[in-house]
Amino acid sequence: MGVESEMELAYAGLHQLCVPMLDRVERLPVPQRDALRVAFGLQVGDVPSRFLIGLAVLSLLAGAAEEQPLACLVDDAQWRDSASVQPLAFAARRVMADPVALIFAVRESGNAAELAGLPGLKVQGFGERDAHLILASVIRGPLDDRVPGRIVAETRGNPFWRCWSCRAC
């Protein structure tokens, strides 16, 4: 019996975030455009530098924000491939005058070295009683009596995390 290994697909998370803006890639400066196109597998070429990819992402986000303010939420950033998080963190450190917000949601247990130094806000879970009340308000079917307590305990007071990710509720 073989052991399945984790496989990280470089730039998969970045590609997912940039898909709605891919029509703008051709407007980027040639080195940035080529770096992003190679990273996304849209063009053959040498492995692009992370610096160029970071600049390309920054330019792409700034260009999209010229039409309307832009907020990008990177949920579960600790589980995203580092090749994606690094250019996004690069962009987050450099968006100044542009109406762009990059928001990274990271669980405590996650490794978020790429995000070190960015402003942060620690969001606590609900108290046990409130978490049970919130969870009960979204349960759509019968549950064993032990399940709500386990969900509240495992999510440390944030029952929505479990409900959104397991889709059982």
Side-chain angles (χ1 to χ4, degrees):
M1 187 183 238
V3 176
E4 289 185 31
S5 63
E6 280 189 38
M7 183 172 81
E8 184 176 281
L9 296 174
Y11 305 110
L14 184 62
H15 182 263
Q16 205 174 19
L17 185 129
C18 291
V19 162
M21 298 174 277
L22 284 182
D23 61 327
R24 300 173 173 281
V25 171
E26 298 307 316
R27 300 179 202 166
L28 297 175
V30 173
Q32 293 178 28
R33 180 194 69 209
D34 290 348
L36 207 54
R37 288 180 55 80
V38 169
F40 292 163
L42 302 171
Q43 171 179 318
V44 176
D46 294 332
V47 175
S49 82
R50 298 243 172 132
F51 177 72
L52 273 177
I53 293 171
L55 283 176
V57 169
L58 180 59
S59 297
L60 198 62
L61 295 174
E66 286 175 0
E67 291 178 18
Q68 64 181 1
L70 181 65
C72 301
L73 174 61
V74 181
D75 197 15
D76 293 324
Q78 75 281 353
W79 293 326
R80 304 290 171 209
D81 61 289
S82 62
S84 291
V85 175
Q86 287 174 356
L88 290 169
F90 175 92
R93 288 183 177 88
R94 286 160 182 81
V95 291
M96 300 295 174
D98 299 304
V100 175
L102 283 154
I103 304 159
F104 300 90
V106 182
R107 293 183 65 81
E108 281 181 42
S109 61
N111 178 7
E114 291 91 353
L115 304 176
L118 289 174
L121 172 67
K122 187 171 183 168
V123 179
Q124 300 292 330
F126 294 100
E128 188 172 339
R129 181 177 180 277
D130 291 333
H132 276 280
L133 288 171
I134 292 167
L135 182 60
S137 75
V138 297
I139 299 290
R140 289 179 262 189
L143 286 180
D144 182 280
D145 291 339
R146 297 172 291 183
V147 172
R150 185 168 175 191
I151 290 173
V152 169
E154 287 183 14
T155 61
R156 293 182 220 112
N158 185 0
F160 290 117
W161 177 79
R162 181 68 172 188
C163 289
W164 290 330
S165 61
C166 76
R167 308 262 191 262
C169 301

